[in-house]
Amino acid sequence: MNGTREKLTLPDGGSRLLLHSCCAPCSGELMEAFVESGIDYTIFFYNPNIHPLKEYELRKQENIRFAQKHGVAFIDADYDTDNWFARAKGMENEPERGIRCTMCFDMRFERTALYAHEHGFPVMTSSLGISRWKNMAQINDCGHRAAAPYGGLSYWDYNWRKGGGSSRMIEISKRENFYQQEYCGCVYSLRDSNRHRRDQGRDKIRFGEKFYGVDDTPGSAQE
C-alpha cells in the first residue's frame, strides 16, 4: 500500500469512537487504520441525502459488508429523506461545496453527535473528509459545531488524506471490489453530474453497475 499508516490515538484521552460513515470506499482506510491502532469504534450510517433509494441501499450494504468483515458494530439510522428535503428547500440550485452541502453535513453530524452523546461516545469523526472532492475545512467546521452542545464530546478533525490515506482508500476499494458511486449522493448532485456527462457526450449515471475491482478507470469515490 502507498505510504505507512500512522499509529492513531484518540484525542482528549477518549476510549471509544463513533465513526459517521458516508460509504464503504471512503471509510475503508479509516476502518483499517482504527483496527490496526486498536481503537474501539462503531460505525454510524446516517445519510438521508443519498438519492434514489436504490443508490442508498447499494452504498449502505457495501458499508455493512465491510463492517462485518472486520467485526465492527454498525448502527443503521433512519433514512428520513423528508427532513433532508425540507432543510434543502431554497438551496436546490446551490453549487457543490456551497451552503447546501453545509446544511447536509450539519444535519448528518447533528444526528451523529446526538447518538454519541446518548450512548457514551466521547469522540466522533467522519469519513467524509478523506475524499478529494470535499472541502475539509467545511466538513470540520460542521463536525465541531455539531459536537459543541454536548459536554464531553469532541469532533476528531484528523486529516485522513495525509500519509497516503487517499491512495490507500482507492487501493482498498479496488481490493474489496467496492461499488463505485459516480456522484456525491443527493438528487441535485445527480442532476448536475448528469448535465456534465451530457455536455461531454456521455451516458447518464447507471445505478449499481460500476465497481472498483472491475473497472479501474479513476473514479470519484465522492460521497
Side-chain angles (χ1 to χ4, degrees), residues 101-174:
C101 291
T102 297
M103 174 281 298
C104 186
F105 300 148
D106 280 340
M107 181 175 180
R108 292 145 88 185
F109 288 166
E110 286 163 9
R111 181 67 66 86
T112 306
L114 176 62
Y115 188 92
H117 172 71
E118 292 178 340
H119 293 83
F121 289 89
V123 184
M124 59 177 273
T125 194
S126 176
S127 59
L128 281 164
I130 198 170
S131 171
R132 69 185 187 276
W133 297 95
K134 296 289 187 291
N135 182 325
M136 191 179 297
Q138 181 185 32
I139 290 167
N140 288 338
D141 286 345
C142 293
H144 287 296
R145 184 161 55 246
Y150 305 105
L153 175 63
S154 62
Y155 177 80
W156 191 11
D157 56 7
Y158 184 85
N159 182 357
W160 307 109
R161 302 176 194 174
K162 73 177 185 178
S166 293
S167 297
R168 287 193 298 269
M169 175 188 76
I170 300 299
E171 290 181 17
I172 293 169
S173 296
K174 290 180 179 180

Side-chain angles (χ1 to χ4, degrees), residues 30-102:
L30 279 70
M31 292 171 64
E32 292 197 350
F34 296 154
V35 170
E36 288 184 8
S37 297
I39 291 175
D40 179 8
Y41 74 101
T42 294
I43 294 172
F44 188 73
F45 192 85
Y46 176 68
N47 301 288
N49 58 303
I50 302 175
H51 179 92
L53 179 60
K54 179 178 181 179
E55 180 77 6
Y56 172 83
E57 290 293 345
L58 283 165
R59 298 188 189 193
K60 182 175 73 173
Q61 291 305 319
E62 287 288 79
N63 210 167
I64 290 173
R65 173 170 68 88
F66 200 56
Q68 290 176 339
K69 178 178 180 177
H70 288 285
V72 177
F74 186 96
I75 307 301
D76 184 359
D78 290 338
Y79 182 48
D80 56 345
T81 55
D82 289 346
N83 286 335
W84 188 88
F85 277 108
R87 290 182 65 160
K89 188 174 179 59
M91 305 179 190
E92 295 86 350
N93 295 310
E94 292 293 329
E96 292 288 312
R97 301 190 179 195
I99 60 172
R100 188 180 67 235
C101 291
T102 297

